[in-house]
Amino acid sequence: MTLATADTPAPRGLAATLAHARYVISDNPVTGIAFGMFLVLVVCALLGPYIVPYDPLASDTAAALQAPSVAHWFGTDNLGRDIFSRVIVATRLDMAIAVFSVALVFAAGGIAGIASGFFGGWTDRIIGRISDTIMAFPLFVLAMGIVAALGNTVTNIVIATAIINFPLYVRVARSEAAIRRQAGFVQAARLTGNSEWRILLTTILPNIMPIMMVQMSLTMGYAILNAAGLSFIGLGVRPPTPEWGIMVAEGAAYIVSGEWWIALFPGLALMFAVFCFNLLGDGLRDIVDPQRRT
């Protein structure tokens, strides 16, 4: 890492963050691989519908159940649809479900957990009982019940995924905020006249972001698995919309007859995404951790 000298002042703001990110990625090859995998997912999500060779919804019964070939890299399904095109296009939907569900649960569970640990008292008791109530149910079964009650739309899948992850964010944020609420920098912020909520949002929250970034990264992978699982049992996204869970479910019936590619490639895409986010957590923690900035 390049250190600042008298002639070269230290970078600040966004430039400092980017320089630190480059240092973390170059220092840990696994983190670099994870960010490369994440870049592939982002490109597929943003440009997928424009770069695929076939219409993912167009069926061609004459080309049904063809094995992987030069014309169809991942083969075709029982309706003759190109599996490669469907896998690439499905990235946008699965990534959107993951991003919006994680943003929702961070805004609700993260802030609730920080308030619980920082204020304590009745705030802690109420939020704790809500978390305990959610944790009393098997989480995937709870997600099934929510989607079945509200309807299997993308919005309801996002809401269900956020609800079942709510206790995880509350517990992590609560424990970190409880440790820091009596820290010296918090006392200093009080002495300068800051309100409790201002201290919570501008002092406590930035200091627990490293551990929260790890939790968010892991939850991204879990959100994709949850959406795929709901689709696999028929409670998720409705066909013929390209979605990895639906495609695995559709291909499962053909594995016995030898058409293995129908389920294999969507399953590999699902594994790739979850593996990427599991690896990404440590790198994100190092990038946002102020203790690693030198």
Side-chain angles (χ1 to χ4, degrees):
M1 184 176 181
T2 303
L3 299 177
T5 64
D7 297 326
T8 58
R12 297 180 179 181
L14 180 60
T17 301
L18 293 176
H20 180 62
R22 286 195 299 269
Y23 167 70
V24 170
I25 293 173
S26 62
D27 186 57
N28 188 348
V30 175
T31 299
I33 293 172
F35 274 95
M37 295 170 68
F38 179 69
L39 181 61
V40 171
L41 290 173
V42 170
V43 170
C44 290
L46 295 177
L47 304 178
Y50 309 104
I51 62 177
V52 292
Y54 298 95
D55 184 347
L57 300 178
S59 59
D60 181 7
T61 54
L65 300 178
Q66 290 187 0
S69 63
V70 175
H72 300 280
W73 293 355
F74 291 176
T76 60
D77 61 10
N78 58 313
L79 296 178
R81 296 173 297 192
D82 182 62
I83 295 176
F84 175 77
S85 299
R86 290 177 61 80
V87 167
I88 297 300
V89 171
T91 307
R92 173 179 293 186
L93 178 58
D94 284 281
M95 287 285 287
I97 291 173
V99 169
F100 284 111
S101 63
V102 168
L104 179 60
V105 72
F106 175 76
I111 300 302
I114 297 171
S116 176
F118 185 71
F119 294 117
W122 64 267
T123 303
D124 187 24
R125 289 192 291 272
I126 292 175
I127 295 174
R129 295 299 79 77
I130 294 173
S131 299
D132 292 341
T133 301
I134 295 174
M135 292 293 290
F137 296 91
L139 296 182
F140 186 70
V141 175
L142 178 60
M144 291 169 53
I146 294 172
V147 174
L150 300 179
N152 54 336
T153 64
V154 174
T155 301
N156 293 336
I157 293 172
V158 169
I159 293 173
T161 304
I163 290 174
I164 65 176
N165 285 310
F166 179 84
L168 304 178
Y169 280 75
V170 167
R171 291 188 175 190
V172 172
R174 179 188 179 280
S175 62
E176 294 295 320
I179 294 172
R180 291 169 173 78
R181 66 180 176 180
Q182 298 300 332
F185 60 86
V186 174
Q187 299 296 339
R190 286 196 180 99
L191 292 175
T192 56
N194 290 286
S195 67
E196 294 296 290
W197 276 101
R198 182 178 177 83
I199 293 172
L200 187 149
L201 295 175
T202 63
T203 304
I204 299 293
L205 180 59
N207 277 275
I208 71 169
M209 278 306 294
I211 189 65
M212 294 302 292
M213 292 298 292
V214 177
Q215 183 63 45
M216 291 170 70
S217 177
L218 295 176
T219 310
M220 287 280 286
Y222 181 73
I224 292 175
L225 281 178
N226 184 68
L230 290 172
S231 298
F232 186 86
I233 62 176
L235 289 175
V237 181
R238 299 172 181 173
T241 304
E243 198 277 329
W244 292 332
I246 293 177
M247 298 173 69
V248 172
E250 292 174 344
Y254 293 90
I255 294 178
V256 176
S257 59
E259 288 81 17
W260 47 268
W261 57 87
I262 303 177
L264 175 65
F265 291 109
L268 289 177
L270 187 62
M271 183 186 73
F272 180 89
V274 175
F275 188 59
C276 166
F277 288 116
N278 286 345
L279 292 179
L280 201 60
D282 290 339
L284 290 174
R285 177 201 59 200
D286 293 340
I287 289 174
V288 300
D289 190 353
Q291 295 182 358
R292 287 210 52 174
R293 295 177 183 270
T294 59

